[in-house]
Amino acid sequence: MPDPHAITLNHLIGPDRAGQFLNTRIQNLTTQDLLPRETAERMVCQAVAAGDPWTLAAGGQQWNLRLDADPELPPQLYVVRRAGGRFLAEDEDGQQETLGLSILESYQLTHWYGTR
């Protein structure tokens, strides 16, 4: 279910860059997973609307902890770079650590730097 408080990709990175980003994700599904384009488009749009980190996570992003998440987690994570199902994260204190993308399920994408 889409998060009513989610920030749209158009707002974060502008419509041109959002279109490029979505098309890249769709193209990956059609070439790597051999899905029909219509199916790939539907899957990517649903994943983006749900805030799915497996689809959205990329370098230069800030993710903020969701209100209903474990308060012991860092309040913000900055994605320095992504490599497959893992990413190099930096917290608000500048500490870096490699984490699995699944941790971002407790977060919401709020900023995407250097892409507008």
Side-chain angles (χ1 to χ4, degrees), residues 41-52:
E41 287 174 354
R42 185 179 66 252
M43 290 176 67
V44 168
C45 288
Q46 288 173 344
V48 168
D52 175 42

Side-chain angles (χ1 to χ4, degrees), residues 32-90:
Q32 295 173 8
D33 297 335
L34 304 176
L35 293 175
R37 182 158 181 92
E38 183 178 291
T39 301
E41 287 174 354
R42 185 179 66 252
M43 290 176 67
V44 168
C45 288
Q46 288 173 344
V48 168
D52 175 42
W54 287 87
T55 302
L56 287 171
Q61 296 174 338
Q62 178 181 314
W63 292 67
N64 287 0
L65 192 63
R66 294 179 186 273
L67 294 176
D68 61 347
D70 180 355
E72 297 296 316
L73 292 170
Q76 297 175 338
L77 289 176
Y78 179 77
V79 178
V80 177
R81 96 180 133 264
R82 178 178 172 172
R86 303 187 66 68
F87 69 101
L88 180 60
E90 185 174 298

